[in-house]
Amino acid sequence: DGAKAGIIMKAAPAGGEVYRQEFSLGNAEDAAEVISLTGSANAPAASCSDCLITKDLSPIEPGAFAHKYYKGGVGSILEVDLET
């Protein structure tokens, strides 16, 4: 229905970079901003001191943000809803 593919994770992310994760005008306009390449997180499945942290956002859901933590060689280890 005209939706555009996006990128869930860049191969070589850079701090401050913003990219679309998916795009369908008015339906799905998810984007992510790279917050840090050296963050830290502890989760039941894994911990890291060099996590990639993104801030997920969508212009069709103002104020709905989440931080996601990714560990190299593992993937997503933690998601924090910034509203709750």
Side-chain angles (χ1 to χ4, degrees), residues 25-46:
L25 187 61
N27 298 306
E29 298 182 27
D30 297 351
E33 177 182 2
V34 177
I35 300 297
S36 176
L37 301 172
T38 58
S40 61
N42 293 307

Side-chain angles (χ1 to χ4, degrees), residues 41-62:
N42 293 307
S47 297
C48 63
S49 58
D50 59 349
C51 289
L52 168 72
I53 304 172
T54 63
K55 179 180 181 182
D56 288 15
L57 53 120
S58 174
I60 59 177
E61 293 182 65

